[in-house]
């Protein structure tokens, strides 16, 4: 299969890349990517002592339930390939890849 691509009015070919993975080990849970994602692809979760995911209540955050916060890809199918998340990530946690046509 070949990658999905678009021919622009200029005649140039553009191949969009979509979020493929997120390195949770590097993620510091800053939330910058969450704020710039226009499609609701991402979700902030907490990791407890055993590495299990705990829901983070953004309104009444209780830091005692988890060791650290990390971003996760909750709705990968909603990604439009804008790559805003990876451009703003200070730790470069994101990997993007073209979609198969």
């Amino acid at each position: 299969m070949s990658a999905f691509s678009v021919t622009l009015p200029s005649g140039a070919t553009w191949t969009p890349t979509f979020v493929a993975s997120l390195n949770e080990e590097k993620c510091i849970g800053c939330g910058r990517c969450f704020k710039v994602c226009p499609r609701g692809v991402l979700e902030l979760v907490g990791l407890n002592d055993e590495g299990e995911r705990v829901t983070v209540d953004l309104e009444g955050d209780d830091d005692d339930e988890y060791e650290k916060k990390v971003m996760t890809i909750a709705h990968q199918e909603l990604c439009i390939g804008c790559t805003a998340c990876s451009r703003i990530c200070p730790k470069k946690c994101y990997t993007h890849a073209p979609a198969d046509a």
Side-chain angles (χ1 to χ4, degrees), residues 17-19 39 41 75-83 85 96:
T17 58
F18 303 91
V19 66
R39 302 284 299 166
V41 174
H75 301 285
Q76 188 173 20
E77 72 281 4
L78 298 178
C79 180
I80 59 172
C82 69
T83 67
C85 55
H96 284 73

Side-chain angles (χ1 to χ4, degrees), residues 71-98:
M71 199 58 61
T72 61
I73 301 170
H75 301 285
Q76 188 173 20
E77 72 281 4
L78 298 178
C79 180
I80 59 172
C82 69
T83 67
C85 55
S86 64
R87 289 192 313 256
I88 200 159
C89 181
K91 295 296 183 177
K92 306 299 179 208
C93 298
Y94 288 90
T95 303
H96 284 73

Side-chain angles (χ1 to χ4, degrees), residues 41-54:
V41 174
L42 308 170
E43 179 179 34
L44 188 65
V45 297
L47 296 178
N48 67 14
D49 297 345
E50 291 83 40
E52 297 170 340
R53 293 171 189 249
V54 179

Side-chain angles (χ1 to χ4, degrees), residues 22-77:
L22 189 158
N23 185 334
E24 292 182 8
E25 295 294 318
K26 290 170 61 176
C27 180
I28 58 173
C30 67
R32 292 176 185 177
C33 54
F34 180 79
K35 291 176 183 173
V36 299
C37 179
R39 302 284 299 166
V41 174
L42 308 170
E43 179 179 34
L44 188 65
V45 297
L47 296 178
N48 67 14
D49 297 345
E50 291 83 40
E52 297 170 340
R53 293 171 189 249
V54 179
T55 302
V56 173
D57 179 12
L58 298 176
E59 301 297 320
D61 197 8
D62 184 12
D63 288 339
D64 295 336
E65 294 182 35
Y66 46 83
E67 289 295 309
K68 74 176 208 170
K69 297 178 196 176
V70 296
M71 199 58 61
T72 61
I73 301 170
H75 301 285
Q76 188 173 20
E77 72 281 4

